[in-house]
Amino acid sequence: MAFYFGKGASSITQRLTQKQQRFVDEYIISGNATQAAIKAGYSKKTAKQMGTENLAKPIIKAELDRRNAEIQSAKTMDMQEVMERLAAMGRGETTEETVTNKGEVIETATRNADKLKAMELIGKRFGAWTDKKEISGTLDIDIDIDIGMGDYDEDN
């Protein structure tokens, strides 16, 4: 069964059943295949199995990949942009809008607490202040356990 969703619908979307399309929509929202299957109209008894099966279907996987690519847009920050903004905050190159008691909005310098937090996050990203130390290498251990019969008393 195929549905046509109007002009501009991808060929993948056209081949999904209505229930599969609802599954994709719900999975994008929750990330939970079982809950997505239930909300798409599958039986609660078979929802876990159907969710797993749906995720394994190439047509559904392709639609999920396509939809996730749409979500990853210019509005989403990548790690480089996050690091650049944190660096600008840490250097004091940013300003904040502050509302005065009179209701006026004024530009103020970034607070020192925000600068410190930005520098802390950058430091954590590069492992500068970790409480844990990673140790790698090999360790040769030779364990020799001798289990003997032991001493016992003969009563006879």
Side-chain angles (χ1 to χ4, degrees):
M1 178 188 305
F3 291 91
Y4 182 68
F5 292 96
K7 187 175 182 179
S10 74
S11 60
I12 292 171
T13 305
Q14 292 174 16
R15 292 183 287 177
L16 292 176
T17 66
Q18 191 172 15
K19 195 179 270 191
Q20 288 172 332
Q21 185 61 49
R22 281 195 312 253
F23 173 82
V24 169
D25 293 341
E26 294 297 333
Y27 187 76
I28 292 287
I29 293 167
S30 70
N32 183 313
T34 302
Q35 289 302 314
I38 291 168
K39 289 183 178 181
Y42 293 94
S43 160
K44 285 185 180 183
K45 290 181 181 180
T46 62
K48 184 176 181 179
Q49 178 184 348
M50 291 308 299
T52 303
E53 286 180 19
N54 277 345
L55 290 177
K57 292 178 182 175
I59 189 170
I60 291 177
K61 183 170 180 356
E63 178 64 4
L64 285 168
D65 290 345
R66 184 188 71 77
R67 294 277 300 278
N68 283 325
E70 284 178 3
I71 293 168
Q72 182 72 22
S73 68
K75 293 182 179 180
T76 304
M77 282 189 192
D78 61 7
M79 276 310 294
Q80 180 166 341
E81 186 177 358
V82 170
M83 294 304 292
E84 287 170 358
R85 287 186 181 209
L86 285 172
M89 286 182 73
R91 290 186 191 112
E93 298 169 352
T94 59
T95 58
E96 299 176 6
E97 290 184 346
T98 306
V99 179
T100 65
N101 291 336
K102 295 179 182 179
E104 299 170 344
V105 178
I106 60 170
E107 295 260 336
T108 59
T110 304
R111 297 177 329 148
N112 283 338
D114 293 335
K115 291 178 190 178
L116 287 171
K117 184 65 177 180
M119 290 186 288
E120 178 185 342
L121 291 171
I122 291 170
K124 283 183 179 180
R125 164 64 177 88
F126 292 106
W129 299 289
T130 58
D131 293 336
K132 300 176 190 173
K133 297 291 179 193
E134 185 174 319
I135 301 172
S136 61
T138 59
L139 181 63
D140 293 329
I141 298 176
D142 185 19
I143 299 175
D144 186 18
I145 300 175
D146 183 19
I147 301 178
M149 295 302 291
D151 295 334
Y152 60 94
D153 294 332
E154 289 185 16
D155 291 337
N156 295 335

